[in-house]
Amino acid sequence: MLSHCLCQVYKCLFLRNLKLNLINVATSARRIHSSAKKPSDCELKEQTIQKCETEELPQSTENKNFARLHIPVMLEEVVNCLSPQPGQCFLDMTFGAGGHTTALLEKANDITIYALDRDPTAYKIAQQLSESYPKQIRALLGQFSQSEALLISSGVEPGTLDGVLLDAGCSSMQFDTPERGFSLQKDGPLDMRMDSDRYPEMPTAADVVNALDQQALASILRTYGEERHAKKIASAIIQARSIYPITRTQQLASIVAGAFPASSLHARKDLLQRPTHVATKTFQGLRIFVNDELHELLIGLKTAEKFLKPGGRLVALSFHSLEDRIIKRFLHGIDMTEKYNLGSRQKIRQALKNCSKEEDTQEFFPHGKSNSKWIFIQKKVLTPQAKDIQTNPRGRSAKLRAAIKL
């Protein structure tokens, strides 16, 4: 009943804002997440410590085997763009299994890294890695929207960080753990909460698909999953749940597949031209909605800007167009509330209106077009090399954007 009520409120605010653009929809979703009762920071920290003390991670999560859990995406490019130097201080906003953090520690001596992640499993791994680097790694548990408070409570002042890494999306650990409910290839409870059960009152993906009406479901799939057949899939979900509750990942995948003719089941292909399941975008849409990912991303970018010192470096990795659009707009200084169907060049020109004369702009922004807040390290977005895609096919859609704060 509680989850049903939460989803009803979810639905009302979501539908009320659908006429606005994507970022406003994400903002409305954030309001719903905030409306659920959450424990205080002290209570949450105590609960997390108690849970981490009583739970044992799989053997593969020992420090020497971190790489087996999650292959870091575009590792060489990330390290080069952050360019760590001895004595510097960094924030890894999506620690995961620690691949990027470990590479930074190996690149430069005597650096300090604040390792943030909203996933309790990743937090435990960060704690384990900090045992090998006791004075260099500070593990933090929380969402992007909680990162400012966590940093301040750890003694980090705004404008003091030398670099920030933000790696959006899910980790392989989450996809490869059926109990988390992220993967449609492995059966498990339809959960998808990146925070796991830190907030028991927050709705799961199962709550969403069983409580929202067809219009709301279709809007979620279309907006967050970029699914062209959102109405058809939402209709199939409504019909199926009238017979039995939808509680498992492969159950939902089968329902979505049943909405298409057999000849269409393997018609979709990924960037490697491999067949993809027709429910992939449905799972993406639900995951983004449940975790309020887009608004969290925007807050994370704003926090990174606030805590970076002048000359500090921001590296942001995205894995689909919704994330990349937000990162690109943020770095170019384009208003998030503006429609995105206009050309990027026009938007960039608008962002440059407040800059000085063109010759001054070229003098201060030699690496590419920017507003008064960032210098771009690379003129164009970076994508994985062929060898990286072969090693880690999951990172095939990654896009890296890097900039220096003025």
Side-chain angles (χ1 to χ4, degrees):
M1 178 62 69
L2 178 59
S3 296
H4 179 77
C5 293
L6 281 173
C7 285
Q8 290 301 317
V9 180
Y10 229 158
K11 176 183 65 176
C12 292
L13 286 182
F14 182 83
L15 292 178
R16 187 177 66 182
N17 287 276
L18 273 179
K19 294 182 180 179
L20 302 177
N21 54 51
L22 180 62
I23 196 65
N24 286 341
V25 172
T27 302
S28 70
R30 179 60 186 167
R31 294 172 184 166
I32 304 305
H33 285 276
S34 300
S35 68
K37 183 179 180 181
K38 297 182 180 180
S40 65
D41 291 340
C42 293
E43 293 173 340
L44 183 59
K45 185 175 181 179
E46 182 178 354
Q47 293 172 5
T48 302
I49 292 175
Q50 291 175 349
K51 183 175 181 180
C52 289
E53 288 177 346
T54 57
E55 288 186 354
E56 292 292 335
L57 290 176
Q59 184 70 20
S60 60
T61 62
E62 294 181 358
N63 291 352
K64 62 182 180 180
N65 293 323
F66 280 166
R68 297 183 185 179
L69 286 174
H70 177 71
I71 302 176
V73 177
M74 301 183 69
L75 184 62
E76 181 179 347
E77 292 84 349
V78 167
V79 173
N80 289 339
C81 287
L82 286 174
S83 185
Q85 304 299 320
Q88 289 188 331
C89 186
F90 294 87
L91 169 63
D92 186 345
M93 300 191 77
T94 42
F95 176 80
H100 290 118
T101 289
T102 302
L104 291 172
L105 291 168
E106 293 174 351
K107 182 69 174 180
N109 297 324
D110 193 30
I111 64 173
T112 300
I113 300 180
Y114 290 86
L116 173 73
D117 206 292
R118 66 190 293 179
D119 192 322
T121 301
Y123 174 70
K124 180 64 180 292
I125 296 174
Q127 287 183 314
Q128 292 180 346
L129 186 60
S130 67
E131 296 176 1
S132 300
Y133 301 90
K135 296 183 179 180
Q136 294 181 266
I137 293 182
R138 312 288 175 81
L140 303 175
L141 176 65
Q143 304 169 358
F144 292 159
S145 56
Q146 299 167 332
S147 59
E148 180 175 350
L150 290 170
L151 288 169
I152 291 177
S153 65
S154 299
V156 182
E157 297 294 331
T160 59
L161 295 178
D162 295 286
V164 174
L165 170 62
L166 195 157
D167 182 0
C170 284
S171 69
S172 291
M173 294 184 298
Q174 293 167 333
F175 280 121
D176 292 338
T177 306
E179 294 78 15
R180 301 297 299 274
F182 288 96
S183 175
L184 54 82
Q185 303 294 342
K186 301 179 181 180
D187 190 44
L190 193 57
D191 193 326
M192 297 193 190
R193 293 174 300 173
M194 290 183 175
D195 300 281
S196 191
D197 57 355
R198 291 178 62 217
Y199 303 124
E201 296 182 352
M202 295 305 295
T204 65
D207 294 326
V208 174
V209 298
N210 285 293
L212 299 190
D213 61 28
Q214 182 172 334
Q215 181 183 1
L217 284 173
S219 299
I220 290 172
L221 303 185
R222 184 183 308 108
T223 303
Y224 295 112
E226 300 179 293
E227 175 58 69
R228 293 179 299 171
H229 303 286
K231 287 185 177 181
K232 180 190 297 186
I233 295 172
S235 176
I237 291 174
I238 297 297
Q239 183 178 359
R241 80 183 191 196
S242 66
I243 303 174
Y244 45 78
I246 304 172
T247 61
R248 309 288 296 182
T249 55
Q250 290 196 343
Q251 182 186 7
L252 176 60
S254 297
I255 293 170
V256 174
F260 295 86
S263 59
S264 302
L265 295 183
H266 302 289
R268 297 182 179 183
K269 298 183 183 298
D270 62 17
L271 294 178
L272 302 180
Q273 295 303 306
R274 302 178 306 178
T276 60
H277 198 286
V278 291
T280 299
K281 291 186 175 182
T282 296
F283 273 62
Q284 172 187 304
L286 290 172
R287 190 202 78 216
I288 292 174
F289 184 69
V290 165
N291 294 289
D292 194 19
E293 292 181 34
L294 300 185
H295 186 265
E296 284 290 321
L297 173 59
L298 178 58
I299 295 299
L301 291 168
K302 291 181 177 179
T303 301
E305 179 182 342
K306 182 174 182 177
F307 280 83
L308 278 171
K309 63 174 60 172
R313 294 171 175 245
L314 171 63
V315 174
L317 284 163
S318 62
F319 293 88
H320 55 75
S321 61
L322 302 180
E323 294 171 343
D324 184 58
R325 184 180 300 137
I326 292 174
I327 295 170
K328 182 178 180 180
R329 282 173 159 238
F330 179 82
L331 293 177
H332 282 293
I334 300 173
D335 189 348
M336 293 290 177
T337 61
E338 293 184 13
K339 294 182 179 180
Y340 52 81
N341 58 351
L342 298 179
S344 296
R345 292 183 179 179
Q346 181 178 350
K347 295 298 183 182
I348 294 171
R349 285 197 296 269
Q350 292 175 358
L352 287 169
K353 284 184 178 180
N354 294 329
C355 293
S356 56
K357 296 180 180 180
E358 181 177 356
E359 55 268 24
D360 294 330
T361 301
Q362 293 176 352
E363 177 181 354
F364 289 102
F365 307 125
H367 296 279
K369 296 180 179 178
S370 175
N371 62 6
S372 60
K373 296 181 179 180
W374 301 97
I375 296 176
F376 291 96
I377 298 175
Q378 303 289 342
K379 291 184 178 180
K380 295 183 179 180
V381 62
L382 297 181
T383 55
Q385 302 178 33
K387 62 178 182 179
D388 294 330
I389 295 177
Q390 291 179 354
T391 304
N392 183 21
R394 282 179 174 172
R396 62 190 177 277
S397 60
K399 291 184 177 181
L400 186 152
R401 296 185 185 273
I404 299 174
K405 180 182 175 182
L406 293 178

